[in-house]
Amino acid sequence: MSNEVIDTILNHRSIRKFKDVALTEKQIETIVSSAQMASTSSYIQAYTIIGVKNKETKARLAELAGNQSYVEKNGHFFVFCADLHRHEIAGQMEKVDVGPSLESTEKFMVAIVDTTLAAQNATLAAESMGLGICYIGGIRNEIEEVSNLLKLPEYVIPLFGLAVGHPDGDTEKKPRLPMANVYHEEVYEQDNAKFVEQLQNYNETISNYYNRRTGGKRTDRWTEQMANMLKTPRRMQINEFLKKKGFMRS
Amino acid sequence: MSNEVIDTILNHRSIRKFKDVALTEKQIETIVSSAQMASTSSYIQAYTIIGVKNKETKARLAELAGNQSYVEKNGHFFVFCADLHRHEIAGQMEKVDVGPSLESTEKFMVAIVDTTLAAQNATLAAESMGLGICYIGGIRNEIEEVSNLLKLPEYVIPLFGLAVGHPDGDTEKKPRLPMANVYHEEVYEQDNAKFVEQLQNYNETISNYYNRRTGGKRTDRWTEQMANMLKTPRRMQINEFLKKKGFMRS
């Protein structure tokens, strides 16, 4: 099955090099309106999007995100924030104590989900206009500094950035896990040997993919990549930071 | 600006009544492939999608989700699970201890974000084919029972359901928060009075919207709705359940 939406979705690749062309106000508005029309849990709309144009702020964000040049050099940089501050204000306006709810793990999850649904709409709207995107989880490296830089109040945290712009060059699509490994019917796959075999087959796919792309310089397996990434726990300060901001206290 | 993707995004409304027509295998496959092409943090692909067709399982899920008929009656029911089980297996295959990483709050957030990006792609693919969708956060009402029903292993939790099917009747689009309240430039809006005024204006929009839709039976403000929803903390067992499943231990 094919249509413009499915083609846009299936054609996705992350873009890490952008031309020096700023998004127009109209493009920004279309991206934000698209984000806002995503589904939202009980109408809570638990996010705020900060658009960053200031060169110094962008340079500082790039530095905090681990020196990723495309955080600084792009058409526009959005920071998607999980946000329950608005709901604290709503509680004050209605004279209702909403604190214990806002501080629950459930509402933290709701805020992350709402924010991410909105972001993926933003992404597809941007890609449909011929723009490229890259999500920037790296802003959580120094989550507290990023939060201070953007002057986020209590009950608001920066979840990820989204660099958007006119692609400078193309990149290749990366093959995903075998569908049978990701999509199970009725219950979670109970056959562990089958599960492992699927990952081994995927390892071969990925190893060949890197081999081909790098002319033999890289041949890493997917499980190898994952094990390398996961052997050292990272961003361990986040739990404490979240609690400080009012989240996930119970 | 307008194209098929943006039109699909802006035309979204949740569908809670479906015709009794099952999705075809091809439709399911297109939806899952679309989900899989979403961006993923460091290639981690931290989700599994369970497709439920069995009538008894669907009836039980509907019951657990608070008797929502559309969990039982739809064209297909997907359960999106945040999943780091695959990465535990990867660690075993590579003889690397990945436990401390998997148990971090950071990786819990990564898994929720990855799962949700995939789900929103699934949603838009479905909507582009003329299908309707409704996200079901209600499966977290009894998260442990849902998890057991779907036989989810350690490091896997059911995040939300997605009911998909052929819409039976149309519903109206719900107006979102004013863009200026959601999209800020450079830093978070520092003018509290302005922020409150935006919410008051939105309250009027929403009150009029309900008034018009219900012929005067409902006129609630958005802040009123939020305060009512948030006055009682819900799903407070989730924090403990997450830890039991291996998540968010540090």
Side-chain angles (χ1 to χ4, degrees), chain A residues 46-76:
Chain A
Y47 53 87
T48 286
I49 307 166
I50 315 265
V52 181
K53 292 175 175 172
N54 181 287
K55 281 184 203 298
E56 281 168 37
T57 312
K58 283 172 94 168
R60 180 69 182 135
L61 284 171
E63 198 183 347
L64 292 170
N67 294 308
Q68 298 186 41
S69 61
Y70 40 98
V71 173
E72 189 176 353
K73 292 175 181 163
N74 48 53
H76 199 68

PDB file of all heavy atoms in Angstrom, chain A residues 46-76:
ATOM      1  N   ALA A  46       0.280  17.885  27.352  1.00  0.00           N
ATOM      2  CA  ALA A  46       1.294  18.092  28.389  1.00  0.00           C
ATOM      3  C   ALA A  46       2.684  18.389  27.822  1.00  0.00           C
ATOM      4  O   ALA A  46       3.644  17.689  28.137  1.00  0.00           O
ATOM      5  CB  ALA A  46       1.328  16.876  29.309  1.00  0.00           C
ATOM      6  N   TYR A  47       2.773  19.412  26.986  1.00  0.00           N
ATOM      7  CA  TYR A  47       4.088  19.745  26.424  1.00  0.00           C
ATOM      8  C   TYR A  47       4.175  21.216  26.058  1.00  0.00           C
ATOM      9  O   TYR A  47       3.155  21.890  25.850  1.00  0.00           O
ATOM     10  CB  TYR A  47       4.372  18.908  25.172  1.00  0.00           C
ATOM     11  CG  TYR A  47       3.278  18.990  24.131  1.00  0.00           C
ATOM     12  CD1 TYR A  47       3.264  19.998  23.182  1.00  0.00           C
ATOM     13  CD2 TYR A  47       2.234  18.077  24.129  1.00  0.00           C
ATOM     14  CE1 TYR A  47       2.246  20.098  22.249  1.00  0.00           C
ATOM     15  CE2 TYR A  47       1.202  18.161  23.206  1.00  0.00           C
ATOM     16  CZ  TYR A  47       1.214  19.170  22.263  1.00  0.00           C
ATOM     17  OH  TYR A  47       0.190  19.271  21.363  1.00  0.00           O
ATOM     18  N   THR A  48       5.406  21.672  25.979  1.00  0.00           N
ATOM     19  CA  THR A  48       5.705  23.000  25.445  1.00  0.00           C
ATOM     20  C   THR A  48       6.874  22.836  24.485  1.00  0.00           C
ATOM     21  O   THR A  48       7.761  22.011  24.718  1.00  0.00           O
ATOM     22  CB  THR A  48       6.047  23.984  26.585  1.00  0.00           C
ATOM     23  OG1 THR A  48       4.833  24.307  27.253  1.00  0.00           O
ATOM     24  CG2 THR A  48       6.689  25.280  26.067  1.00  0.00           C
ATOM     25  N   ILE A  49       6.839  23.590  23.414  1.00  0.00           N
ATOM     26  CA  ILE A  49       7.913  23.526  22.427  1.00  0.00           C
ATOM     27  C   ILE A  49       8.644  24.863  22.451  1.00  0.00           C
ATOM     28  O   ILE A  49       8.012  25.910  22.318  1.00  0.00           O
ATOM     29  CB  ILE A  49       7.321  23.268  21.012  1.00  0.00           C
ATOM     30  CG1 ILE A  49       6.413  22.027  21.029  1.00  0.00           C
ATOM     31  CG2 ILE A  49       8.451  23.112  19.980  1.00  0.00           C
ATOM     32  CD1 ILE A  49       5.523  21.883  19.785  1.00  0.00           C
ATOM     33  N   ILE A  50       9.955  24.808  22.668  1.00  0.00           N
ATOM     34  CA  ILE A  50      10.738  26.044  22.644  1.00  0.00           C
ATOM     35  C   ILE A  50      11.491  26.099  21.314  1.00  0.00           C
ATOM     36  O   ILE A  50      12.237  25.167  20.996  1.00  0.00           O
ATOM     37  CB  ILE A  50      11.752  26.102  23.803  1.00  0.00           C
ATOM     38  CG1 ILE A  50      11.116  25.678  25.130  1.00  0.00           C
ATOM     39  CG2 ILE A  50      12.415  27.484  23.879  1.00  0.00           C
ATOM     40  CD1 ILE A  50      10.593  26.755  26.010  1.00  0.00           C
ATOM     41  N   GLY A  51      11.287  27.156  20.577  1.00  0.00           N
ATOM     42  CA  GLY A  51      12.020  27.358  19.326  1.00  0.00           C
ATOM     43  C   GLY A  51      13.248  28.209  19.600  1.00  0.00           C
ATOM     44  O   GLY A  51      13.122  29.289  20.175  1.00  0.00           O
ATOM     45  N   VAL A  52      14.415  27.713  19.212  1.00  0.00           N
ATOM     46  CA  VAL A  52      15.646  28.456  19.486  1.00  0.00           C
ATOM     47  C   VAL A  52      16.263  28.947  18.178  1.00  0.00           C
ATOM     48  O   VAL A  52      16.562  28.154  17.284  1.00  0.00           O
ATOM     49  CB  VAL A  52      16.668  27.573  20.249  1.00  0.00           C
ATOM     50  CG1 VAL A  52      17.925  28.366  20.559  1.00  0.00           C
ATOM     51  CG2 VAL A  52      16.051  27.030  21.528  1.00  0.00           C
ATOM     52  N   LYS A  53      16.412  30.275  18.082  1.00  0.00           N
ATOM     53  CA  LYS A  53      17.062  30.876  16.910  1.00  0.00           C
ATOM     54  C   LYS A  53      18.381  31.535  17.288  1.00  0.00           C
ATOM     55  O   LYS A  53      19.294  31.611  16.488  1.00  0.00           O
ATOM     56  CB  LYS A  53      16.158  31.980  16.316  1.00  0.00           C
ATOM     57  CG  LYS A  53      14.885  31.463  15.687  1.00  0.00           C
ATOM     58  CD  LYS A  53      14.010  32.660  15.235  1.00  0.00           C
ATOM     59  CE  LYS A  53      12.783  32.180  14.480  1.00  0.00           C
ATOM     60  NZ  LYS A  53      11.844  33.273  14.204  1.00  0.00           N
ATOM     61  N   ASN A  54      18.450  32.035  18.511  1.00  0.00           N
ATOM     62  CA  ASN A  54      19.629  32.763  18.977  1.00  0.00           C
ATOM     63  C   ASN A  54      20.903  31.930  18.819  1.00  0.00           C
ATOM     64  O   ASN A  54      20.983  30.803  19.301  1.00  0.00           O
ATOM     65  CB  ASN A  54      19.410  33.126  20.458  1.00  0.00           C
ATOM     66  CG  ASN A  54      20.565  33.904  21.033  1.00  0.00           C
ATOM     67  OD1 ASN A  54      21.641  33.360  21.273  1.00  0.00           O
ATOM     68  ND2 ASN A  54      20.361  35.187  21.235  1.00  0.00           N
ATOM     69  N   LYS A  55      21.890  32.519  18.123  1.00  0.00           N
ATOM     70  CA  LYS A  55      23.090  31.758  17.781  1.00  0.00           C
ATOM     71  C   LYS A  55      23.871  31.304  19.011  1.00  0.00           C
ATOM     72  O   LYS A  55      24.406  30.196  19.049  1.00  0.00           O
ATOM     73  CB  LYS A  55      24.016  32.597  16.875  1.00  0.00           C
ATOM     74  CG  LYS A  55      23.554  32.623  15.417  1.00  0.00           C
ATOM     75  CD  LYS A  55      24.574  33.390  14.569  1.00  0.00           C
ATOM     76  CE  LYS A  55      24.022  33.946  13.299  1.00  0.00           C
ATOM     77  NZ  LYS A  55      23.499  33.228  12.260  1.00  0.00           N
ATOM     78  N   GLU A  56      23.941  32.173  20.011  1.00  0.00           N
ATOM     79  CA  GLU A  56      24.682  31.799  21.219  1.00  0.00           C
ATOM     80  C   GLU A  56      24.008  30.657  21.960  1.00  0.00           C
ATOM     81  O   GLU A  56      24.667  29.739  22.446  1.00  0.00           O
ATOM     82  CB  GLU A  56      24.824  32.999  22.162  1.00  0.00           C
ATOM     83  CG  GLU A  56      25.928  33.944  21.724  1.00  0.00           C
ATOM     84  CD  GLU A  56      25.878  35.262  22.483  1.00  0.00           C
ATOM     85  OE1 GLU A  56      25.558  35.251  23.691  1.00  0.00           O
ATOM     86  OE2 GLU A  56      26.139  36.313  21.849  1.00  0.00           O
ATOM     87  N   THR A  57      22.680  30.730  22.041  1.00  0.00           N
ATOM     88  CA  THR A  57      21.955  29.644  22.715  1.00  0.00           C
ATOM     89  C   THR A  57      22.162  28.330  21.969  1.00  0.00           C
ATOM     90  O   THR A  57      22.386  27.277  22.576  1.00  0.00           O
ATOM     91  CB  THR A  57      20.451  29.967  22.805  1.00  0.00           C
ATOM     92  OG1 THR A  57      20.283  31.287  23.295  1.00  0.00           O
ATOM     93  CG2 THR A  57      19.731  29.002  23.726  1.00  0.00           C
ATOM     94  N   LYS A  58      22.092  28.407  20.632  1.00  0.00           N
ATOM     95  CA  LYS A  58      22.265  27.185  19.843  1.00  0.00           C
ATOM     96  C   LYS A  58      23.669  26.600  20.016  1.00  0.00           C
ATOM     97  O   LYS A  58      23.836  25.388  20.150  1.00  0.00           O
ATOM     98  CB  LYS A  58      21.989  27.461  18.356  1.00  0.00           C
ATOM     99  CG  LYS A  58      20.507  27.559  18.045  1.00  0.00           C
ATOM    100  CD  LYS A  58      20.240  28.032  16.625  1.00  0.00           C
ATOM    101  CE  LYS A  58      20.044  26.870  15.685  1.00  0.00           C
ATOM    102  NZ  LYS A  58      19.496  27.315  14.368  1.00  0.00           N
ATOM    103  N   ALA A  59      24.676  27.507  20.028  1.00  0.00           N
ATOM    104  CA  ALA A  59      26.050  27.038  20.202  1.00  0.00           C
ATOM    105  C   ALA A  59      26.201  26.370  21.566  1.00  0.00           C
ATOM    106  O   ALA A  59      26.845  25.325  21.706  1.00  0.00           O
ATOM    107  CB  ALA A  59      27.019  28.209  20.065  1.00  0.00           C
ATOM    108  N   ARG A  60      25.585  26.975  22.573  1.00  0.00           N
ATOM    109  CA  ARG A  60      25.680  26.415  23.926  1.00  0.00           C
ATOM    110  C   ARG A  60      24.959  25.062  23.999  1.00  0.00           C
ATOM    111  O   ARG A  60      25.457  24.111  24.616  1.00  0.00           O
ATOM    112  CB  ARG A  60      25.072  27.412  24.921  1.00  0.00           C
ATOM    113  CG  ARG A  60      25.102  26.986  26.359  1.00  0.00           C
ATOM    114  CD  ARG A  60      26.508  26.955  26.946  1.00  0.00           C
ATOM    115  NE  ARG A  60      26.495  26.499  28.331  1.00  0.00           N
ATOM    116  CZ  ARG A  60      27.343  25.600  28.834  1.00  0.00           C
ATOM    117  NH1 ARG A  60      28.297  25.089  28.072  1.00  0.00           N
ATOM    118  NH2 ARG A  60      27.269  25.230  30.088  1.00  0.00           N
ATOM    119  N   LEU A  61      23.794  24.972  23.360  1.00  0.00           N
ATOM    120  CA  LEU A  61      23.055  23.698  23.342  1.00  0.00           C
ATOM    121  C   LEU A  61      23.880  22.619  22.639  1.00  0.00           C
ATOM    122  O   LEU A  61      23.921  21.466  23.085  1.00  0.00           O
ATOM    123  CB  LEU A  61      21.700  23.857  22.638  1.00  0.00           C
ATOM    124  CG  LEU A  61      20.601  24.567  23.429  1.00  0.00           C
ATOM    125  CD1 LEU A  61      19.389  24.840  22.529  1.00  0.00           C
ATOM    126  CD2 LEU A  61      20.170  23.736  24.648  1.00  0.00           C
ATOM    127  N   ALA A  62      24.525  22.997  21.539  1.00  0.00           N
ATOM    128  CA  ALA A  62      25.355  22.041  20.794  1.00  0.00           C
ATOM    129  C   ALA A  62      26.465  21.496  21.686  1.00  0.00           C
ATOM    130  O   ALA A  62      26.749  20.298  21.704  1.00  0.00           O
ATOM    131  CB  ALA A  62      25.937  22.705  19.554  1.00  0.00           C
ATOM    132  N   GLU A  63      27.075  22.406  22.449  1.00  0.00           N
ATOM    133  CA  GLU A  63      28.149  22.034  23.370  1.00  0.00           C
ATOM    134  C   GLU A  63      27.601  21.076  24.456  1.00  0.00           C
ATOM    135  O   GLU A  63      28.173  20.016  24.714  1.00  0.00           O
ATOM    136  CB  GLU A  63      28.651  23.333  24.006  1.00  0.00           C
ATOM    137  CG  GLU A  63      30.003  23.280  24.655  1.00  0.00           C
ATOM    138  CD  GLU A  63      30.336  24.639  25.300  1.00  0.00           C
ATOM    139  OE1 GLU A  63      29.643  25.663  25.024  1.00  0.00           O
ATOM    140  OE2 GLU A  63      31.289  24.665  26.109  1.00  0.00           O
ATOM    141  N   LEU A  64      26.475  21.441  25.034  1.00  0.00           N
ATOM    142  CA  LEU A  64      25.894  20.624  26.105  1.00  0.00           C
ATOM    143  C   LEU A  64      25.456  19.252  25.594  1.00  0.00           C
ATOM    144  O   LEU A  64      25.475  18.267  26.326  1.00  0.00           O
ATOM    145  CB  LEU A  64      24.697  21.349  26.749  1.00  0.00           C
ATOM    146  CG  LEU A  64      25.025  22.608  27.544  1.00  0.00           C
ATOM    147  CD1 LEU A  64      23.742  23.364  27.911  1.00  0.00           C
ATOM    148  CD2 LEU A  64      25.820  22.267  28.815  1.00  0.00           C
ATOM    149  N   ALA A  65      25.064  19.204  24.324  1.00  0.00           N
ATOM    150  CA  ALA A  65      24.581  17.935  23.747  1.00  0.00           C
ATOM    151  C   ALA A  65      25.731  17.049  23.278  1.00  0.00           C
ATOM    152  O   ALA A  65      25.501  16.034  22.616  1.00  0.00           O
ATOM    153  CB  ALA A  65      23.615  18.214  22.606  1.00  0.00           C
ATOM    154  N   GLY A  66      26.965  17.437  23.594  1.00  0.00           N
ATOM    155  CA  GLY A  66      28.110  16.603  23.231  1.00  0.00           C
ATOM    156  C   GLY A  66      28.715  17.008  21.907  1.00  0.00           C
ATOM    157  O   GLY A  66      29.129  16.143  21.129  1.00  0.00           O
ATOM    158  N   ASN A  67      28.755  18.328  21.668  1.00  0.00           N
ATOM    159  CA  ASN A  67      29.374  18.872  20.449  1.00  0.00           C
ATOM    160  C   ASN A  67      28.821  18.289  19.155  1.00  0.00           C
ATOM    161  O   ASN A  67      29.554  17.805  18.304  1.00  0.00           O
ATOM    162  CB  ASN A  67      30.898  18.663  20.497  1.00  0.00           C
ATOM    163  CG  ASN A  67      31.513  19.483  21.603  1.00  0.00           C
ATOM    164  OD1 ASN A  67      31.281  20.686  21.685  1.00  0.00           O
ATOM    165  ND2 ASN A  67      32.257  18.831  22.486  1.00  0.00           N
ATOM    166  N   GLN A  68      27.495  18.309  19.063  1.00  0.00           N
ATOM    167  CA  GLN A  68      26.869  17.875  17.817  1.00  0.00           C
ATOM    168  C   GLN A  68      26.636  19.128  16.965  1.00  0.00           C
ATOM    169  O   GLN A  68      25.793  19.960  17.284  1.00  0.00           O
ATOM    170  CB  GLN A  68      25.548  17.163  18.119  1.00  0.00           C
ATOM    171  CG  GLN A  68      25.729  15.895  18.970  1.00  0.00           C
ATOM    172  CD  GLN A  68      24.442  15.110  19.152  1.00  0.00           C
ATOM    173  OE1 GLN A  68      23.661  14.970  18.225  1.00  0.00           O
ATOM    174  NE2 GLN A  68      24.202  14.602  20.349  1.00  0.00           N
ATOM    175  N   SER A  69      27.381  19.218  15.845  1.00  0.00           N
ATOM    176  CA  SER A  69      27.360  20.444  15.036  1.00  0.00           C
ATOM    177  C   SER A  69      25.960  20.787  14.531  1.00  0.00           C
ATOM    178  O   SER A  69      25.594  21.950  14.402  1.00  0.00           O
ATOM    179  CB  SER A  69      28.294  20.290  13.839  1.00  0.00           C
ATOM    180  OG  SER A  69      27.844  19.217  13.027  1.00  0.00           O
ATOM    181  N   TYR A  70      25.160  19.763  14.250  1.00  0.00           N
ATOM    182  CA  TYR A  70      23.835  20.014  13.670  1.00  0.00           C
ATOM    183  C   TYR A  70      22.831  20.564  14.682  1.00  0.00           C
ATOM    184  O   TYR A  70      21.724  20.931  14.320  1.00  0.00           O
ATOM    185  CB  TYR A  70      23.313  18.747  12.965  1.00  0.00           C
ATOM    186  CG  TYR A  70      23.618  17.470  13.703  1.00  0.00           C
ATOM    187  CD1 TYR A  70      22.682  16.868  14.519  1.00  0.00           C
ATOM    188  CD2 TYR A  70      24.872  16.865  13.581  1.00  0.00           C
ATOM    189  CE1 TYR A  70      22.982  15.694  15.203  1.00  0.00           C
ATOM    190  CE2 TYR A  70      25.168  15.691  14.265  1.00  0.00           C
ATOM    191  CZ  TYR A  70      24.223  15.113  15.077  1.00  0.00           C
ATOM    192  OH  TYR A  70      24.520  13.965  15.759  1.00  0.00           O
ATOM    193  N   VAL A  71      23.228  20.611  15.960  1.00  0.00           N
ATOM    194  CA  VAL A  71      22.373  21.282  16.947  1.00  0.00           C
ATOM    195  C   VAL A  71      22.509  22.798  16.757  1.00  0.00           C
ATOM    196  O   VAL A  71      21.577  23.568  16.962  1.00  0.00           O
ATOM    197  CB  VAL A  71      22.765  20.879  18.384  1.00  0.00           C
ATOM    198  CG1 VAL A  71      22.010  21.699  19.419  1.00  0.00           C
ATOM    199  CG2 VAL A  71      22.522  19.386  18.599  1.00  0.00           C
ATOM    200  N   GLU A  72      23.701  23.201  16.304  1.00  0.00           N
ATOM    201  CA  GLU A  72      23.971  24.620  16.068  1.00  0.00           C
ATOM    202  C   GLU A  72      23.583  25.009  14.642  1.00  0.00           C
ATOM    203  O   GLU A  72      23.011  26.087  14.426  1.00  0.00           O
ATOM    204  CB  GLU A  72      25.465  24.873  16.300  1.00  0.00           C
ATOM    205  CG  GLU A  72      25.838  26.329  16.298  1.00  0.00           C
ATOM    206  CD  GLU A  72      27.314  26.538  16.627  1.00  0.00           C
ATOM    207  OE1 GLU A  72      28.005  25.550  16.984  1.00  0.00           O
ATOM    208  OE2 GLU A  72      27.769  27.685  16.517  1.00  0.00           O
ATOM    209  N   LYS A  73      23.924  24.142  13.703  1.00  0.00           N
ATOM    210  CA  LYS A  73      23.746  24.493  12.292  1.00  0.00           C
ATOM    211  C   LYS A  73      22.567  23.752  11.691  1.00  0.00           C
ATOM    212  O   LYS A  73      22.650  22.557  11.359  1.00  0.00           O
ATOM    213  CB  LYS A  73      25.031  24.169  11.515  1.00  0.00           C
ATOM    214  CG  LYS A  73      26.168  25.100  11.952  1.00  0.00           C
ATOM    215  CD  LYS A  73      27.493  24.749  11.317  1.00  0.00           C
ATOM    216  CE  LYS A  73      28.571  25.717  11.823  1.00  0.00           C
ATOM    217  NZ  LYS A  73      29.917  25.220  11.578  1.00  0.00           N
ATOM    218  N   ASN A  74      21.458  24.464  11.541  1.00  0.00           N
ATOM    219  CA  ASN A  74      20.230  23.871  11.017  1.00  0.00           C
ATOM    220  C   ASN A  74      19.305  25.023  10.619  1.00  0.00           C
ATOM    221  O   ASN A  74      19.670  26.193  10.759  1.00  0.00           O
ATOM    222  CB  ASN A  74      19.587  22.982  12.092  1.00  0.00           C
ATOM    223  CG  ASN A  74      19.502  23.704  13.429  1.00  0.00           C
ATOM    224  OD1 ASN A  74      18.974  24.810  13.494  1.00  0.00           O
ATOM    225  ND2 ASN A  74      20.047  23.110  14.468  1.00  0.00           N
ATOM    226  N   GLY A  75      18.120  24.706  10.177  1.00  0.00           N
ATOM    227  CA  GLY A  75      17.159  25.742   9.802  1.00  0.00           C
ATOM    228  C   GLY A  75      16.367  26.265  10.987  1.00  0.00           C
ATOM    229  O   GLY A  75      15.893  27.405  10.998  1.00  0.00           O
ATOM    230  N   HIS A  76      16.204  25.405  11.992  1.00  0.00           N
ATOM    231  CA  HIS A  76      15.506  25.792  13.219  1.00  0.00           C
ATOM    232  C   HIS A  76      15.729  24.700  14.243  1.00  0.00           C
ATOM    233  O   HIS A  76      15.820  23.525  13.895  1.00  0.00           O
ATOM    234  CB  HIS A  76      14.003  25.953  12.959  1.00  0.00           C
ATOM    235  CG  HIS A  76      13.299  26.778  14.010  1.00  0.00           C
ATOM    236  ND1 HIS A  76      13.525  28.117  14.164  1.00  0.00           N
ATOM    237  CD2 HIS A  76      12.385  26.447  14.958  1.00  0.00           C
ATOM    238  CE1 HIS A  76      12.775  28.579  15.154  1.00  0.00           C
ATOM    239  NE2 HIS A  76      12.079  27.587  15.650  1.00  0.00           N
TER     240      HIS A  76
END
